[in-house]
Amino acid sequence: MNDLSRSASSPQQGTTLALTEALIRLPSVTPSDDGCQQLLTARLAPLGFACESIVSGPEDFSVTNLWAVRRGKSGTAGKLLAFAGHTDVVPTGPLEQWSSAPFAPAQRDGKLYGRGAADMKTSIAGFVVAIEEFLARHPDPQGSIALLITSDEEGPANDGTIKVCEALKARGERLDYCVIGEPTAVDTLGDMLKNGRRGSLSGRLVVRGIQGHIAYPNLARNPIHELAPALAELATVKWDEGNAFFPPTSWQVSNLKAGTGAANVIPGEIVADFNFRFSTASTPDVLKQRLEDVLRKHKLDYRIDWVLGGEPFLTEPCDLSAALSAAIKAETGVDTELSTTGGTSDGRFISKICTQVIEFGPVNASIHKIDEHIELSAIEPLKNIYRRVLETLIA
């Protein structure tokens, strides 16, 4: 059994838990931040952080972003380590199915329950307390520290981290390291780091035929029949081989829609929704071209609306992954694994201004579920790992 209690007692034992609970009490369902970032600013400003609020989006979907930075004694020449995350959470689902109110943190059976406990308010609390402890021990570090926090990660992500990254890029600001507090562990804290994610490319394909009476097929053209051979071929295409860090690209149809509701009418069109999950072995443009080559081969009358949900990113083994691996081993005794599994994350935006991006956080088994929770015994080790990374890379 892994001993998560092997860490020496923190000088602020319980502070991480208290801040986590304070954040959970704020019902920050996307895109609302509901005061979470104000709470963080109140903790960071006395430590010398310059805290900037970046608000973006339409009035009915206003997103709040926090960029907070504290420069080290080396000034702009020092290494900059950023912690990134999101204060927004997904909706609770049926309240009556929760064992306790989702925005009233509850401790029972060795766990902390509440919406955002695992995804990802404990990580954010861990960032802040780790920084407080680090600066108490190293008041004048060589490197710099930043936090990039958004309230639009669980939503469309159009006005969240991407906007902060665009602003930083325009200023010529680059990050040397970024730790994203996404819940990455599978069975126990530290067993997995995410060093990349696949990209997501979706399409809505409309194939046009000619509507007509089903008894007179010679006077109509059935788009279902015309699309079927193309779908069969697309399902067998090997899009790429993947690489050392990613599996081969996958292509899946998620929805098919056709018909008028009448049993005796050949429809005039069929609509297919599909998605590529692709690695750095392919590009969106190549995938689009290869798919449309098949459609043209089958002489279909079609149109496609494409949506690039996110490009893939990859951080190969580096100083940051080594620092995290060593910190995890020291705190938990766990040998961690690098992985690129799962959906996309805000790392796809941050990787544009940072060459070393690694995701690390608590166990992800309960995220987005009823009775979301985190093991109480994992909270202090999580914070300590974040602090150890600061000590390794910028002290």
Side-chain angles (χ1 to χ4, degrees):
M1 179 178 293
N2 298 314
D3 182 12
L4 293 182
S5 64
R6 68 173 61 192
S7 307
S9 295
S10 162
Q12 302 194 43
Q13 185 76 25
T15 304
T16 315
L17 172 60
L19 181 53
T20 300
E21 291 181 327
L23 291 168
I24 290 173
R25 289 188 186 99
L26 300 172
S28 52
V29 177
T30 312
S32 173
D33 172 72
D34 203 47
C36 291
Q37 291 172 31
Q38 291 179 341
L39 180 59
L40 301 179
T41 297
R43 298 284 286 261
L44 295 168
L47 300 174
F49 280 81
C51 300
E52 178 183 1
S53 182
I54 301 173
V55 179
S56 183
E59 186 175 344
D60 62 345
F61 201 89
S62 182
V63 173
T64 307
N65 303 292
L66 173 64
W67 170 247
V69 63
R70 183 190 191 276
R71 300 295 177 186
K73 66 180 181 182
S74 299
T76 56
K79 297 286 187 179
L80 175 55
L81 189 154
F83 293 107
H86 59 91
T87 53
D88 62 315
V89 297
V90 298
T92 63
L95 292 176
E96 66 275 11
Q97 294 184 20
W98 283 74
S99 300
S100 53
F103 296 113
Q107 298 180 35
R108 59 181 183 273
D109 302 323
K111 300 179 178 65
L112 173 66
Y113 288 83
R115 176 59 85 219
D119 190 15
M120 55 177 288
K121 291 184 175 180
T122 304
S123 294
I124 291 175
F127 295 162
V128 173
V129 180
I131 290 168
E132 290 173 340
E133 292 184 0
F134 171 74
L135 291 175
R137 301 178 186 187
H138 308 275
D140 197 15
Q142 290 289 331
S144 302
I145 312 169
L147 277 88
L148 195 171
I149 308 295
T150 184
S151 69
D152 181 27
E153 196 274 345
E154 300 291 7
N158 294 326
D159 292 285
T161 298
I162 187 173
K163 294 297 184 184
V164 181
C165 291
E166 288 172 353
L168 295 177
K169 185 176 181 180
R171 300 173 193 174
E173 182 88 76
R174 288 194 63 83
L175 315 180
D176 295 290
Y177 315 106
C178 184
V179 178
I180 305 176
E182 288 290 345
T184 56
V186 179
D187 297 312
T188 189
L189 179 67
D191 62 6
M192 184 173 287
L193 302 176
K194 301 286 187 178
N195 66 319
R197 298 276 188 160
R198 293 177 296 174
S200 176
L201 175 64
S202 298
R204 170 159 286 185
L205 168 66
V206 179
V207 176
R208 294 175 287 260
I210 298 175
Q211 182 174 315
H213 196 293
I214 205 163
Y216 299 97
N218 56 308
L219 301 178
R221 196 174 80 247
N222 194 323
I224 300 174
H225 294 182
E226 293 186 341
L227 175 59
L231 282 182
E233 180 172 343
L234 289 167
T236 66
V237 172
K238 195 165 191 176
W239 303 96
D240 58 44
E241 299 289 341
N243 55 38
F245 294 97
F246 290 100
T249 291
S250 70
W251 180 80
Q252 295 291 323
V253 175
S254 56
N255 289 288
L256 281 174
K257 182 180 179 181
T260 64
N264 61 350
V265 177
I266 293 171
E269 68 177 27
I270 181 172
V271 180
D273 295 323
F274 61 85
N275 177 267
F276 286 102
R277 290 301 166 108
F278 65 102
S279 73
T280 51
S282 288
T283 66
D285 287 342
V286 168
L287 294 173
K288 289 178 184 180
Q289 179 181 334
R290 291 183 63 193
L291 184 138
E292 294 201 48
D293 284 345
V294 173
L295 301 179
R296 286 189 287 267
K297 170 185 169 183
H298 289 269
K299 298 182 170 55
L300 299 180
D301 179 8
Y302 73 93
R303 75 169 192 274
I304 300 180
D305 296 320
W306 292 99
V307 176
L308 180 60
E311 295 191 52
F313 73 94
L314 175 66
T315 298
E316 298 200 23
C318 60
D319 293 343
L320 180 55
S321 61
L324 276 163
S325 298
I328 289 166
K329 183 70 171 179
E331 286 294 325
T332 69
V334 171
D335 293 311
T336 195
E337 172 190 356
L338 291 176
S339 173
T340 61
T341 57
T344 189
S345 78
D346 278 356
R348 67 193 189 272
F349 307 127
I350 298 170
S351 64
K352 304 294 184 183
I353 60 169
C354 183
T355 56
Q356 298 189 32
V357 180
I358 303 288
E359 299 173 28
F360 167 66
V363 172
N364 59 27
S366 70
I367 64 173
H368 295 205
K369 293 182 178 180
I370 302 295
D371 285 346
E372 179 181 350
H373 61 271
I374 183 173
E375 296 283 342
L376 286 164
S377 62
I379 294 176
E380 284 297 299
L382 175 67
K383 174 265 298 177
N384 290 342
I385 291 166
Y386 293 145
R387 190 196 67 242
R388 284 177 180 270
V389 170
L390 288 167
E391 291 169 343
T392 299
L393 295 176
I394 67 165

